[in-house]
Amino acid sequence: MEDLKATPLQAQHEGLKALMAPFGGWLMPIQYEGIIAEHRWCREKAALFDICHMGEFRFRGDIQAGGLEDVFTFSVKGIPVGRSRYGFLLNPSGGVIDDLIVFRLAEDEVMIVVNAATAPNDFKIIASRLKEPAQLVDISAQTGKLDLQGPLSREVLVEHLGSELGALPFFKFTRTRVLGEDAIVSRTGYTGELGYEIFLPSGKTAELWELLLKDPRVAPAGLGARDLLRLEMGYSLYGNDIDEKISPVAAGLTAFVNLDKNFVGKDALLKERETGPENVKVAFRVDSRRSPRHFYEILHQGAPVGMVTSGAFSPMLSCGIGMGYVKPEAAALGTRLTIKHERVEMEAQVVELPFYTGGSLRA
């Protein structure tokens, strides 16, 4: 525990009596009132998440000449200024080193937002692929990040931070002033609800946290609720559903891969797409309220065919839901599966994503 990093909100979490636990090398709040209560608040009102553990890098320079254009599975130079794009950093074999979002700040400037546990390795790999590594700077330590998510998040943000934020469309951001400091407010998130990510100087994070929590429409939410919210949407969690041994082809995420451009891992993806992956990701819905868990075995017609990578009880669907990797012959929609762990067995069926379709994401 002594080696874990703490966010600028450590004292606030302790004051709220949050249950804290290690996550990606950080000591993070898992829950406050409770995971189900915080999940419900996000689906119905506005939940506030401490996401200061995420990594942020800034690149300045010519995107094409500097080599950044060939680093990710999508075109960086094709992102309009003021918009962001999701995709992957791959290894030569096509495995996912990390999933990330790139924000186009200016013609010659971008911000790259990466996962906490992978941030140091991401920085080294991205820098090694640039023609001028010094153009990339790690700004994680001085950058704070709060996520305000839920159907009431727009009206809360407009009231406290400015009316111009109400017009932001999905996956667009604006550079603005928050609490007298330069900040970025982006209409993005990981919950399936209308929501915003706010990047500001880390020293101002606690002040903004306390300001927003004074609003009765806003409540704090931990990583437990965040994980449940993302699973209901079928969003992949790095380290569970995708990693360096899993490609976007196997994960069913080729929508975020542009095969018309160059990037490390492209040849491997083309080959895998031609031959077909050994295992593919599926989503399944359990016939009961039982919760499938990470590493539970997946069987089809009595034979082992794969493993669960994410699973939980869904409050919105009132049943167990999960994702995992199976042999292609067990992946068709409607296929009956058995989820098994020791003496626990639950029947399930392969379904389409997202599990939950009633969110306010594009409201």
Side-chain angles (χ1 to χ4, degrees):
M1 296 289 280
E2 293 178 0
D3 295 332
L4 295 174
K5 298 178 184 178
T7 78
L9 299 175
Q10 180 71 23
Q12 282 71 20
H13 300 320
E14 291 174 356
L16 291 166
K17 300 188 181 336
L19 172 65
M20 307 292 289
F23 182 83
W26 293 72
L27 185 61
M28 296 297 295
I30 304 302
Q31 65 180 50
Y32 302 87
E33 180 184 351
I35 292 174
I36 299 298
E38 293 160 27
H39 165 279
R40 184 182 304 113
W41 195 277
C42 186
R43 290 279 185 237
E44 297 177 355
K45 297 181 183 180
L48 187 62
F49 299 84
D50 175 6
I51 312 295
C52 292
H53 61 309
M54 300 288 277
E56 294 89 13
F57 313 143
R58 179 185 287 123
F59 172 91
R60 285 194 175 114
D62 187 297
I63 290 171
Q64 183 73 58
L68 189 66
E69 179 65 7
D70 296 337
V71 173
F72 308 122
T73 59
F74 54 88
S75 172
V76 177
K77 68 180 183 181
I79 306 172
V81 173
R83 290 195 175 270
S84 54
R85 188 165 292 170
Y86 171 84
F88 308 104
L89 175 69
L90 301 184
N91 59 31
S93 61
V96 179
I97 295 171
D98 201 7
D99 64 332
L100 47 85
I101 296 181
V102 171
F103 295 75
R104 187 76 180 272
L105 303 180
E107 288 297 324
D108 61 351
E109 182 182 12
V110 305
M111 179 173 68
I112 305 163
V113 180
V114 302
N115 284 299
T118 57
N121 187 49
D122 289 355
F123 185 84
K124 288 190 293 185
I125 290 174
I126 295 170
S128 73
R129 296 179 184 177
L130 298 177
K131 295 176 182 175
E132 297 180 42
Q135 292 177 306
L136 188 71
V137 178
D138 188 344
I139 59 171
S140 305
Q142 60 261 42
T143 305
K145 182 174 183 289
L146 296 181
D147 287 10
L148 184 67
Q149 302 279 307
L152 303 186
S153 60
R154 180 189 286 123
E155 60 185 65
V156 170
L157 211 63
V158 164
E159 184 173 322
H160 293 286
L161 300 185
S163 59
E164 70 279 3
L165 300 177
L168 273 178
F170 188 50
F171 258 71
K172 187 171 174 58
F173 66 90
T174 184
R175 301 176 88 164
T176 186
R177 301 281 287 180
V178 172
L179 302 178
E181 301 283 350
D182 289 336
I184 293 170
V185 178
S186 172
R187 195 177 150 191
T188 45
Y190 196 51
T191 65
E193 298 295 338
L194 170 68
Y196 302 84
E197 297 181 301
I198 306 165
F199 301 86
L200 75 168
S202 58
K204 284 288 186 177
T205 310
E207 185 179 348
L208 181 59
W209 173 270
E210 291 171 358
L211 171 67
L212 292 174
L213 285 184
K214 289 178 182 177
D215 192 307
R217 295 165 291 187
V218 181
L223 296 187
R226 189 169 182 257
D227 187 55
L228 184 53
L229 290 157
R230 71 90 192 168
L231 179 56
E232 288 184 332
M233 295 302 297
Y235 297 154
S236 294
L237 175 65
Y238 190 84
N240 280 41
D241 308 303
I242 47 176
D243 58 33
E244 290 213 42
K245 295 181 180 179
I246 297 172
S247 77
V249 175
L253 296 170
T254 52
F256 306 105
V257 176
N258 182 354
L259 290 170
D260 293 328
K261 66 177 288 291
N262 292 323
F263 57 87
V264 174
K266 176 181 176 178
D267 290 343
L269 295 192
L270 288 171
K271 182 178 180 181
E272 186 177 25
R273 191 176 66 165
E274 182 178 340
T275 60
E278 183 178 348
N279 295 290
V280 295
K281 189 176 76 178
V282 294
F284 58 85
R285 182 168 174 164
V286 176
D287 294 349
S288 69
R289 297 172 66 89
R290 282 185 165 178
S291 298
R293 298 297 183 190
H294 188 40
F295 292 133
Y296 279 20
E297 192 174 29
I298 302 176
L299 292 82
H300 174 54
Q301 296 180 346
V305 291
M307 185 184 71
V308 176
T309 54
S310 287
F313 169 77
S314 165
M316 304 308 295
L317 280 68
S318 297
C319 67
I321 58 172
M323 298 189 295
Y325 285 83
V326 300
K327 301 295 182 184
E329 59 267 24
L333 290 176
T335 300
R336 299 296 302 178
L337 302 172
T338 300
I339 314 302
K340 184 177 181 180
H341 179 68
E342 296 177 346
R343 286 183 285 181
V344 174
E345 285 193 12
M346 55 195 87
E347 297 303 310
Q349 183 173 352
V350 177
V351 297
E352 287 185 302
L353 291 175
F355 295 105
Y356 175 62
T357 59
S360 57
L361 181 65
R362 297 181 182 272

